[in-house]
Amino acid sequence: MNILYLMAAEAEYGACLRKRIDPVLIGIGPVEAAIATTRMLTLMQTDLPNLVVSLGSAGSRTFEQGAVYQAISVSYRDMDASALGFPRGVTPLTNLPPTLPLEPLVPGLTPATLSTGANVVTGRAYDAVVEDMVDMETFAVLRACQWFGVPLLALRGISDGDQELQRLEDWTQYLDVVDRNLAEAVDRIEAHYSGS
């Protein structure tokens, strides 16, 4: 099984993950993620991966800090063409719904819904988000994977959200716990696809 691992930032790539995988770092935010994922899959076009696994941190106001979840769907919270008559979240003229499913699901991973956007969500901004978690890359990575016909599995560890973010350290304080839990999830994925 040929799995391509993607992560947004070096800060999320801790000691436990370094013992297991060598991911491609795609940058922070939907634009950087879309460019880097498309570039990587283009370079691999003659030997595409069987699966892309995007992993990293996410925010959640309700989920346990440090815990890891598998995203079962993703929406694009920045998209708002409602002035033209399109429902909020729908990208015009794509015939795509506002929320896209993510598959395959791996037994033993806890499912959750995910919202992608270019902003860091904190405090009262969570009131506008109906999904369980927020990140800045997954929707963009999924669209690139769809273009190449490769399935995407998204894992997110909760790094923030229980308190309002006011400085960079409010994001990084749980990244060592997220790293450890993401590494265990990677072990589960590898075991699932190796048949053991």
Side-chain angles (χ1 to χ4, degrees):
M1 181 78 169
N2 181 12
I3 300 176
L4 172 63
Y5 288 97
L6 304 177
M7 298 189 75
E10 185 85 25
E12 298 171 319
Y13 185 38
C16 296
L17 283 171
R18 288 176 188 273
K19 294 176 183 174
R20 291 163 171 82
I21 61 171
D22 184 19
V24 174
L25 297 179
I26 59 172
I28 295 172
V31 173
E32 299 305 315
I35 292 168
T37 304
T38 302
R39 179 180 182 276
M40 193 65 209
L41 291 174
T42 299
L43 291 172
M44 300 176 73
Q45 198 158 8
T46 57
D47 186 26
L48 285 170
N50 304 107
L51 177 68
V52 172
V53 175
S54 170
L55 61 164
S57 64
S60 178
R61 186 162 57 181
T62 56
F63 281 0
E64 177 187 350
Q65 306 294 289
V68 167
Y69 301 86
Q70 179 177 2
I72 58 171
S73 66
V74 64
S75 62
Y76 186 22
R77 67 178 175 272
D78 293 343
M79 182 52 65
D80 184 2
S82 56
L84 302 177
F86 295 93
R88 187 177 175 94
V90 170
T91 302
L93 311 179
T94 60
N95 295 319
L96 293 173
T99 300
L100 302 177
L102 286 167
E103 298 176 312
L105 302 182
V106 174
L109 297 178
T110 305
T113 58
L114 180 61
S115 168
T116 293
N119 64 315
V120 172
V121 177
T122 187
R124 296 183 67 180
Y126 276 106
D127 295 344
V129 178
V130 299
E131 291 80 10
D132 300 317
M133 309 181 293
V134 294
D135 84 339
M136 301 177 76
E137 296 83 29
T138 302
F139 191 92
V141 172
L142 175 60
R143 293 295 289 125
C145 288
Q146 288 177 330
W147 183 262
F148 288 89
V150 179
L152 172 67
L153 190 159
L155 293 175
R156 288 294 178 269
I158 306 304
S159 57
D160 55 85
D162 61 341
Q163 303 290 324
E164 189 159 1
L165 293 171
Q166 298 184 5
R167 56 199 177 113
L168 183 63
E169 291 76 13
D170 294 339
W171 167 57
T172 59
Q173 65 178 330
Y174 287 108
L175 290 185
D176 59 335
V177 180
V178 168
D179 171 59
R180 184 168 61 249
N181 291 332
L182 281 173
E184 291 176 5
V186 165
D187 289 345
R188 188 176 294 274
I189 290 168
E190 293 283 344
H192 177 72
Y193 285 105
S194 69
S196 58

